[in-house]
Amino acid sequence: FTQTGNASFYSNKFQGKKMANGQPYRKRKLTAAHNTLPFGTKVKVKNQENGRTVKVKITDRGPHSRNRILDLSLAAARRLDMVQSGVVPVTIKVIRRP
Amino acid sequence: FTQTGNASFYSNKFQGKKMANGQPYRKRKLTAAHNTLPFGTKVKVKNQENGRTVKVKITDRGPHSRNRILDLSLAAARRLDMVQSGVVPVTIKVIRRP
Protein backbone atom coordinates (compact mmCIF):
# COMPACT_ATOMS: atom_id res chain seq x y z
CA PHE A 1 0.00 0.00 0.00
CA THR A 2 1.40 3.35 -1.06
CA GLN A 3 -0.45 6.65 -1.26
CA THR A 4 0.33 10.23 -2.25
CA GLY A 5 -1.30 13.39 -0.90
CA ASN A 6 -0.85 16.13 1.65
CA ALA A 7 0.07 15.78 5.30
CA SER A 8 -0.55 18.21 8.13
CA PHE A 9 0.21 17.87 11.82
CA TYR A 10 -1.57 18.01 15.18
CA SER A 11 -2.05 21.22 17.06
CA ASN A 12 -0.33 21.28 20.47
CA LYS A 13 -3.71 21.53 22.16
CA PHE A 14 -4.30 17.82 21.48
CA GLN A 15 -1.55 16.84 23.92
CA GLY A 16 -3.06 14.27 26.32
CA LYS A 17 -6.41 14.10 24.48
CA LYS A 18 -7.77 10.68 23.59
CA MET A 19 -7.14 9.47 20.05
CA ALA A 20 -9.44 7.10 18.13
CA ASN A 21 -7.39 4.09 19.34
CA GLY A 22 -8.24 5.02 22.95
CA GLN A 23 -4.74 6.22 23.88
CA PRO A 24 -3.79 9.82 24.71
CA TYR A 25 -2.00 11.82 22.01
CA ARG A 26 1.65 12.43 22.91
CA LYS A 27 3.35 15.06 20.77
CA ARG A 28 6.80 13.53 21.26
CA LYS A 29 5.80 10.10 19.90
CA LEU A 30 6.00 9.21 16.22
CA THR A 31 2.34 8.65 15.39
CA ALA A 32 -0.21 9.68 12.77
CA ALA A 33 -3.90 9.75 11.92
CA HIS A 34 -5.02 7.98 8.74
CA ASN A 35 -8.57 7.25 7.65
CA THR A 36 -8.44 3.58 6.75
CA LEU A 37 -5.21 1.85 7.83
CA PRO A 38 -5.63 -0.36 10.94
CA PHE A 39 -4.29 1.00 14.25
CA GLY A 40 -0.78 -0.23 14.84
CA THR A 41 0.18 -0.17 11.16
CA LYS A 42 3.75 1.12 10.67
CA VAL A 43 4.09 3.58 7.80
CA LYS A 44 7.09 5.26 6.18
CA VAL A 45 6.33 8.88 5.28
CA LYS A 46 8.40 10.87 2.81
CA ASN A 47 8.27 14.66 2.54
CA GLN A 48 8.33 15.17 -1.21
CA GLU A 49 9.63 18.72 -0.84
CA ASN A 50 12.90 17.82 0.88
CA GLY A 51 13.18 14.03 0.70
CA ARG A 52 13.17 13.56 4.49
CA THR A 53 11.48 10.45 5.86
CA VAL A 54 10.03 9.25 9.16
CA LYS A 55 8.42 6.01 10.32
CA VAL A 56 5.16 6.45 12.24
CA LYS A 57 2.51 4.24 13.80
CA ILE A 58 -1.16 4.78 12.89
CA THR A 59 -3.01 5.56 16.13
CA ASP A 60 -5.88 7.85 15.12
CA ARG A 61 -8.47 8.59 12.43
CA GLY A 62 -8.54 11.62 10.17
CA PRO A 63 -8.10 13.96 8.32
CA HIS A 64 -11.38 14.92 6.59
CA SER A 65 -10.04 17.45 4.11
CA ARG A 66 -9.53 17.12 0.40
CA ASN A 67 -6.15 15.72 -0.68
CA ARG A 68 -5.14 15.41 2.96
CA ILE A 69 -4.12 11.84 3.76
CA LEU A 70 -2.25 12.09 7.07
CA ASP A 71 -2.13 14.12 10.28
CA LEU A 72 1.28 13.69 11.91
CA SER A 73 2.35 14.07 15.52
CA LEU A 74 4.54 17.09 16.23
CA ALA A 75 7.64 14.90 16.63
CA ALA A 76 7.03 13.31 13.23
CA ALA A 77 6.42 16.72 11.63
CA ARG A 78 9.74 17.91 13.04
CA ARG A 79 11.56 14.92 11.54
CA LEU A 80 10.11 15.88 8.17
CA ASP A 81 11.02 19.56 8.74
CA MET A 82 7.47 20.62 7.82
CA VAL A 83 6.43 22.55 10.92
CA GLN A 84 6.92 25.93 9.22
CA SER A 85 5.08 24.88 6.04
CA GLY A 86 2.16 23.33 7.92
CA VAL A 87 1.06 21.21 4.96
CA VAL A 88 3.41 19.34 2.63
CA PRO A 89 3.03 16.72 -0.12
CA VAL A 90 4.02 13.27 1.09
CA THR A 91 4.18 9.69 -0.07
CA ILE A 92 3.34 7.02 2.48
CA LYS A 93 4.18 3.34 2.32
CA VAL A 94 3.06 0.61 4.70
CA ILE A 95 6.12 -1.14 6.09
CA ARG A 96 4.47 -3.34 8.73
CA ARG A 97 0.93 -4.56 9.27
CA PRO A 98 -0.21 -4.69 12.92
CA PHE B 1 -20.53 27.57 24.81
CA THR B 2 -19.26 29.71 21.95
CA GLN B 3 -16.00 29.35 20.05
CA THR B 4 -14.19 31.12 17.22
CA GLY B 5 -11.77 29.60 14.72
CA ASN B 6 -11.60 28.18 11.23
CA ALA B 7 -13.91 25.63 9.62
CA SER B 8 -13.21 23.34 6.70
CA PHE B 9 -15.44 20.69 5.14
CA TYR B 10 -15.39 16.98 4.32
CA SER B 11 -13.99 15.65 1.10
CA ASN B 12 -16.58 13.83 -1.05
CA LYS B 13 -14.62 10.61 -0.64
CA PHE B 14 -16.00 10.28 2.91
CA GLN B 15 -19.53 9.67 1.60
CA GLY B 16 -20.79 6.48 3.31
CA LYS B 17 -17.70 6.10 5.55
CA LYS B 18 -18.25 5.56 9.24
CA MET B 19 -17.99 8.63 11.49
CA ALA B 20 -16.89 8.55 15.13
CA ASN B 21 -20.54 8.26 16.26
CA GLY B 22 -20.83 4.98 14.33
CA GLN B 23 -23.10 6.35 11.58
CA PRO B 24 -22.11 6.72 7.91
CA TYR B 25 -21.23 10.23 6.70
CA ARG B 26 -23.91 11.61 4.38
CA LYS B 27 -22.82 14.69 2.47
CA ARG B 28 -26.42 15.99 2.12
CA LYS B 29 -27.04 16.04 5.90
CA LEU B 30 -26.22 19.03 8.08
CA THR B 31 -23.52 17.58 10.34
CA ALA B 32 -20.06 18.46 11.61
CA ALA B 33 -16.98 17.12 13.36
CA HIS B 34 -15.89 18.82 16.59
CA ASN B 35 -13.26 17.63 19.03
CA THR B 36 -15.04 17.88 22.37
CA LEU B 37 -18.79 18.53 22.06
CA PRO B 38 -20.95 15.44 22.73
CA PHE B 39 -22.49 13.70 19.71
CA GLY B 40 -25.99 14.98 19.07
CA THR B 41 -25.19 18.54 20.18
CA LYS B 42 -26.89 21.11 17.94
CA VAL B 43 -24.63 24.02 16.97
CA LYS B 44 -25.26 27.25 15.09
CA VAL B 45 -22.33 28.11 12.80
CA LYS B 46 -21.75 31.57 11.39
CA ASN B 47 -19.43 32.28 8.46
CA GLN B 48 -17.70 35.46 9.58
CA GLU B 49 -16.82 36.41 6.01
CA ASN B 50 -20.38 36.69 4.73
CA GLY B 51 -22.64 36.44 7.80
CA ARG B 52 -24.41 33.25 6.60
CA THR B 53 -25.43 30.72 9.25
CA VAL B 54 -26.35 27.05 9.41
CA LYS B 55 -27.42 24.70 12.21
CA VAL B 56 -25.58 21.40 12.34
CA LYS B 57 -25.47 18.32 14.54
CA ILE B 58 -22.14 17.10 15.93
CA THR B 59 -21.64 13.54 14.67
CA ASP B 60 -17.89 13.11 14.35
CA ARG B 61 -14.50 13.95 15.88
CA GLY B 62 -11.86 16.24 14.37
CA PRO B 63 -10.14 18.33 13.07
CA HIS B 64 -6.52 18.07 14.29
CA SER B 65 -5.11 21.23 12.74
CA ARG B 66 -4.18 24.50 14.37
CA ASN B 67 -7.02 27.03 14.62
CA ARG B 68 -9.37 24.56 12.95
CA ILE B 69 -12.41 23.96 15.13
CA LEU B 70 -14.96 22.35 12.82
CA ASP B 71 -15.20 20.08 9.77
CA LEU B 72 -18.57 20.59 8.09
CA SER B 73 -20.59 18.29 5.85
CA LEU B 74 -20.78 19.37 2.20
CA ALA B 75 -24.43 20.46 2.61
CA ALA B 76 -23.51 22.66 5.59
CA ALA B 77 -20.52 24.14 3.71
CA ARG B 78 -22.86 25.02 0.83
CA ARG B 79 -25.27 26.79 3.17
CA LEU B 80 -22.33 28.90 4.37
CA ASP B 81 -21.18 29.48 0.77
CA MET B 82 -17.63 28.41 1.69
CA VAL B 83 -17.00 25.58 -0.79
CA GLN B 84 -14.83 27.75 -3.02
CA SER B 85 -12.81 29.16 -0.11
CA GLY B 86 -12.28 25.77 1.52
CA VAL B 87 -11.48 27.27 4.92
CA VAL B 88 -13.31 30.21 6.51
CA PRO B 89 -13.40 31.86 9.95
CA VAL B 90 -16.53 30.90 11.88
CA THR B 91 -18.17 31.40 15.23
CA ILE B 92 -20.05 28.46 16.69
CA LYS B 93 -22.65 28.49 19.42
CA VAL B 94 -24.29 25.52 21.11
CA ILE B 95 -28.06 25.83 20.74
CA ARG B 96 -29.13 22.43 22.09
CA ARG B 97 -27.44 19.82 24.26
CA PRO B 98 -28.11 16.20 23.28
Side-chain angles (χ1 to χ4, degrees):
Chain A
F1 179 87
T2 62
Q3 193 180 15
T4 299
N6 291 322
S8 185
F9 66 97
Y10 282 72
S11 161
N12 272 331
K13 68 167 187 250
F14 284 94
Q15 178 70 2
K17 299 264 175 67
K18 201 158 61 154
M19 301 183 290
N21 74 345
Q23 300 297 309
Y25 168 69
R26 300 291 179 209
K27 64 183 179 182
R28 291 184 175 79
K29 302 248 184 178
L30 299 174
T31 64
H34 186 275
N35 279 298
T36 53
L37 290 171
F39 297 139
T41 303
K42 213 59 184 299
V43 170
K44 188 174 182 181
V45 187
K46 182 178 185 175
N47 180 345
Q48 292 185 343
E49 285 185 347
N50 60 16
R52 293 175 71 100
T53 62
V54 64
K55 292 172 187 170
V56 299
K57 195 161 73 171
I58 302 303
T59 53
D60 202 2
R61 293 291 172 230
H64 298 134
S65 303
R66 237 170 330 176
N67 296 325
R68 197 74 64 81
I69 58 172
L70 212 62
D71 282 335
L72 293 158
S73 68
L74 181 63
R78 282 181 174 149
R79 298 279 187 102
L80 295 182
D81 198 12
M82 58 164 281
V83 172
Q84 289 305 314
S85 321
V87 179
V88 295
V90 297
T91 301
I92 71 173
K93 186 181 176 182
V94 169
I95 53 176
R96 199 173 70 226
R97 293 276 167 189
Chain B
F1 179 88
T2 63
Q3 193 180 14
T4 298
N6 290 323
S8 184
F9 66 95
Y10 283 70
S11 162
N12 272 332
K13 69 169 183 244
F14 284 94
Q15 177 71 1
K17 300 265 176 64
K18 202 159 61 158
M19 301 183 290
N21 74 345
Q23 301 296 309
Y25 167 70
R26 299 290 179 209
K27 63 184 180 182
R28 293 187 173 79
K29 302 248 184 179
L30 298 174
T31 64
H34 186 275
N35 279 298
T36 53
L37 291 171
F39 297 138
T41 303
K42 210 67 182 291
V43 170
K44 189 176 181 179
V45 187
K46 182 180 184 173
N47 180 344
Q48 293 186 341
E49 285 186 346
N50 60 16
R52 294 175 69 102
T53 63
V54 65
K55 293 172 185 168
V56 298
K57 194 161 74 173
I58 303 302
T59 53
D60 203 0
R61 293 290 172 232
H64 299 133
S65 303
R66 234 170 335 176
N67 298 323
R68 198 72 65 81
I69 59 171
L70 213 62
D71 281 334
L72 294 157
S73 67
L74 181 64
R78 284 182 174 151
R79 296 279 188 102
L80 296 182
D81 198 11
M82 59 164 281
V83 172
Q84 288 304 314
S85 322
V87 180
V88 296
V90 296
T91 301
I92 71 173
K93 186 181 178 183
V94 169
I95 53 175
R96 199 173 71 228
R97 293 274 168 194

